[in-house]
Amino acid sequence: MDWLSIIATFIIGSCVGSFLNVLIYRLPMEESIWSPRSHCLHCNKTIPWYRNIPLVSFFIQNGKCAECDASISWQYPLVEIINGCVWAVCFYIFIPLQAGLTAMFSSVLITLAWIDYKTMMIPLSLIITGICIIVISVFANLLVWQMVFWGAFAGVLIPLAMMGLTYLFTRRQGMGWGDIQLGLIIGAWLGPWFMMIALFLAALFGILAWISISIINGFDRNRPLPFAPYLVVSTMALLFCESWVVLWFDKFLLL
Ligand SMILES: [Zn+2]
């Protein structure tokens, strides 16, 4: 793939990221995602399209609203950059159809993780969107349904067992039902073996982050720990690394 296509997919990905920002803001409040049009959260003025260009507008306006000068959250350009990069990587590694579906699935995961991080909850509508993308991928022969089934099985059962053990030892609900639903779709996407690695990595990252925060802000055994962001980061790392290994084998060993 040439640089122009990579830049093009990055731009498309950051435009999608701009929509993800709308979802991140509106889904937890159960607002409509289509109307009203994008507006400043401070002065409520509608943002015209030429001031709503992903990344560009934010940096031209120096991170401020053009009308009232209120600061715009760093979340907006950050989600756009992350999603742009993810889309560019997907289209670089995978064949177009697989790239499109993987990129869309990744966007759903990014939105889920961000909402979980901010509100400690996972909207069901995103889980259902994920399931739809999985079903399409099975029909398009990109996922094998047996792997989807056993992956989903592992993705539900292992977090349930972790939840049960946590409750047994600490009398607390360590994970929410949203995490189980997330386990279902990520397991279906990754298959059982990769799902086990993803869960292990997520638990490891989560505990390390929890310890670091405890060292900085003081120990608080009631401090909640959102699990989704760590699981999503581990999932993407696995997805992309697996493909890099395959790509590397193709290039250097099989030719
Ligand atoms: Zn404003």
Side-chain angles (χ1 to χ4, degrees), residues 45-57:
K45 282 248 166 60
T46 302
I47 302 168
W49 65 267
Y50 55 85
R51 290 204 188 283
N52 207 3
I53 302 164
L55 294 174
V56 179
S57 298

Side-chain angles (χ1 to χ4, degrees), residues 40-45 65-70:
C40 169
L41 299 179
H42 188 72
C43 67
N44 247 335
K45 282 248 166 60
C65 168
E67 293 286 344
C68 70
D69 236 30

Side-chain angles (χ1 to χ4, degrees), residues 16 20 83 86-87 102-112:
V16 174
L20 301 186
N83 204 59
V86 165
W87 278 56
T102 309
M104 279 197 280
F105 191 74
S106 305
S107 295
V108 170
L109 293 186
I110 291 169
T111 315
L112 272 171

